[in-house]
Amino acid sequence: MRKVEVVPYRKEWSKLFHDECEKLQGIFGPELIKLYHIGSTAIPAIHAKPVIDILAVVKDVECVADFNKEMHEIGYDARGENGIAGRRFFCKGGDERTHHIHLFQKGHYEIARHLAFRDYLMAHPGEAQRYSRLKQRLAAEFPDDIKGYVNGKDDFIKKSDERAKHWAASLNEGDHHVNEVD
C-alpha cells in the first residue's frame, strides 16, 4: 500500500533529477528531445511527496515501448498512457516510489500545461505556499489513501492551471524553461 508522505523541500532533489536524466539520455539517445524537472520536487521551498517527476519530450511517442526492457532494467515499470492520452508513463520504486517519468511526443498540449503550472508556482511564491499547505493538510487527512489525496488537490490544480496558462501566454516566453536538460 502506498503511503502519502509530504516532506519539506530537499536540495538533493535537483541532483536526483540530473542523475536520472543521464540514465534516460543513455537509454533513449537521439529519440529524446528534452527533459524537464516538473512536479512539486521542482519547486523550491514547498512540501512535496519525495518523488521526482520528469517530463521527457520525445520525437515519436509510439517508439517508447521499444525501450521498455531498458527502462525495466533500471527499475521502472511501464504503465502505458496511465490516464492521459498520448502519454507514456513509467514509475520507479513500487509502493516506495522515487521517480515518475511522463513521456510525451513533441507538441503535445500536456507539455506546456505541466511547464506553465510549475513555472507559475515558482514565479508566485504565495500561490506555491498555498499549494504546500494544502498538500500537507491532505497528507495528514489521507495518509493511506492516495486517491483521496490526489482528489483533494484537483480543484486547486485546475484553477492554477488556468491562471498559469494565461500567465505563460502573457509572458510570450517562447520555449525556455528552468529545470530542463537538453
Side-chain angles (χ1 to χ4, degrees):
M1 173 189 301
R2 286 177 55 200
K3 290 279 196 196
V4 179
E5 176 190 24
V6 173
V7 300
Y9 180 79
R10 297 178 181 161
K11 290 180 182 178
E12 67 261 19
W13 288 339
S14 179
K15 181 181 179 342
L16 293 170
F17 162 71
H18 287 286
D19 290 348
E20 208 67 14
C21 287
E22 287 181 22
K23 295 174 189 174
L24 296 172
Q25 288 168 327
I27 290 172
F28 289 95
E31 186 61 34
L32 191 60
I33 297 171
K34 197 166 282 260
L35 295 161
Y36 299 94
H37 190 179
I38 62 168
S40 296
T41 61
I43 304 167
I46 73 167
H47 284 67
K49 289 192 307 344
V51 178
I52 308 301
D53 281 287
I54 299 174
L55 188 152
V57 181
V58 295
K59 293 176 184 175
D60 182 2
V61 77
E62 297 302 323
C63 294
V64 170
D66 297 343
F67 301 97
N68 284 355
K69 181 178 182 276
E70 290 90 343
M71 290 294 284
H72 182 73
E73 287 171 358
I74 64 166
Y76 283 95
D77 293 322
R79 299 285 176 94
E81 289 185 331
N82 203 49
I84 298 179
R87 172 178 74 169
R88 298 300 179 268
F89 181 72
F90 291 84
C91 58
K92 185 177 194 176
D95 284 345
E96 302 294 323
R97 290 196 185 163
T98 61
H99 295 78
H100 291 156
I101 312 295
H102 311 259
L103 291 109
F104 292 100
Q105 186 166 310
K106 182 179 179 179
H108 195 286
Y109 69 92
E110 284 286 335
I111 297 167
R113 185 187 71 78
H114 280 290
L115 296 175
F117 180 82
R118 183 209 55 202
D119 293 351
Y120 175 78
L121 289 182
M122 290 176 79
H124 297 86
E127 285 296 299
Q129 288 307 310
R130 280 186 53 226
Y131 188 42
S132 183
R133 287 188 299 273
L134 172 64
K135 290 159 60 82
Q136 290 172 73
R137 182 179 59 76
L138 291 169
E141 188 175 339
F142 300 105
D144 299 311
D145 179 6
I146 191 69
K147 286 187 173 145
Y149 171 81
V150 170
N151 290 340
K153 297 187 312 176
D154 191 58
D155 188 52
F156 180 92
I157 290 173
K158 283 180 180 172
K159 288 177 181 173
S160 294
D161 271 343
E162 194 61 30
R163 286 191 294 269
K165 180 175 71 172
H166 294 293
W167 172 78
S170 74
L171 292 179
N172 194 18
E173 67 183 354
D175 197 31
H176 177 73
H177 298 275
V178 296
N179 294 326
E180 67 184 49
V181 175
D182 286 320

